Structure formats: structure tokens, C-alpha cells
Amino acid sequence: MGETCVPTGVELKNTGFGYTLSLVDGKYKMIIMYWLSENKVMRFNQLKRSIGGISFKTLSVMLKELEAEGLILRKEFPQIPPKVEYSLTERGLSLIPLLDMMCQWGEKNMPTLETIQQ
């Protein structure tokens, strides 16, 4: 990692690390990707219920950003009532091992109540 990933004198956004971070940055993007990786295909209300605590507008914005970044696919069915399904693209799926590693690292290194009280 180190020098090749974040060279000296280069803005973070212009590095591989910065680019990757920009794709998953946002309070709910990683969570949305997690749910889609677990369920393969989900509709808007399924995602909203699964995530909990996310507003309609925020979920809508996050989905649009993930779609624009090529990480998720939005499939609209021409029927009444309208039906829209979301799934991960190959590009989005390729990020899942990285998100899993971040989760595993967090679980191993998260402070416990005992370490916080010391």
C-alpha cells in the first residue's frame, strides 16, 4: 500500500484510495450495497424497510448516486403500479470483498465497553 496508493503531494481524491472511498462515501451507500449483495434483487420499499431509519429522499439520492457510479442497476418494469428493482452490477459486486474486509476488521478492532471505560 503506502507510496503507490497515496503518493506524496497528490490530492487524496486523485488516488486509488480516494477514488474508492468516494464511491462508498455516504452514510448509507455501503449498507445499501450490503443488502443488495445479500438479497441479489430488491425493490425500493424492501431496501427502506431493511435499512430502517433512512428517509425516502435520502434512499432515493443514494440509489441515484450508486447507479450513476455504475455500482447498482435500476430495472424498471412498464406496468401499473410501476415496479422498479435494484441489483448490484459486476462493478458493484467487485467491491463486496473489500466491504467484507472492512466489516471483519471493525468487528476485531472495535472497542468493547471494557476498553472504553478504562
Side-chain angles (χ1 to χ4, degrees):
M1 197 170 123
E3 293 176 30
T4 57
C5 194
V6 186
T8 307
V10 176
E11 286 187 53
L12 180 64
K13 67 179 181 175
N14 296 327
T15 65
F17 177 78
Y19 176 71
T20 305
L21 195 57
S22 75
L23 293 179
V24 295
D25 189 30
K27 188 173 179 183
Y28 295 100
K29 285 184 180 178
M30 286 191 269
I31 297 168
I32 291 167
M33 292 182 68
Y34 164 77
W35 281 109
L36 290 175
S37 74
E38 289 291 305
N39 295 285
K40 308 300 180 223
V41 176
M42 294 181 79
R43 294 176 68 182
F44 187 93
N45 286 332
Q46 288 176 300
L47 277 165
K48 190 169 182 327
R49 278 192 304 274
S50 297
I51 296 167
I54 187 171
S55 72
F56 180 94
K57 181 180 179 185
T58 300
L59 179 56
S60 182
V61 167
M62 294 292 111
L63 289 169
K64 283 181 176 130
E65 288 180 7
L66 288 166
E67 182 184 12
E69 292 156 353
L71 299 175
I72 66 168
L73 177 67
R74 180 183 188 272
K75 187 173 181 183
E76 195 170 332
F77 296 87
Q79 64 185 54
I80 298 178
K83 178 181 173 182
V84 178
E85 292 180 341
Y86 297 92
S87 59
L88 290 173
T89 62
E90 286 298 317
R91 187 171 194 234
L93 282 167
S94 72
L95 266 173
I96 297 304
L98 174 63
L99 301 183
D100 284 340
M101 287 172 54
M102 290 173 66
C103 180
Q104 290 166 12
W105 187 92
E107 287 173 357
K108 287 179 186 169
N109 292 281
M110 187 170 26
T112 62
L113 187 56
E114 292 129 15
T115 58
I116 293 171
Q117 291 175 342
Q118 291 177 352

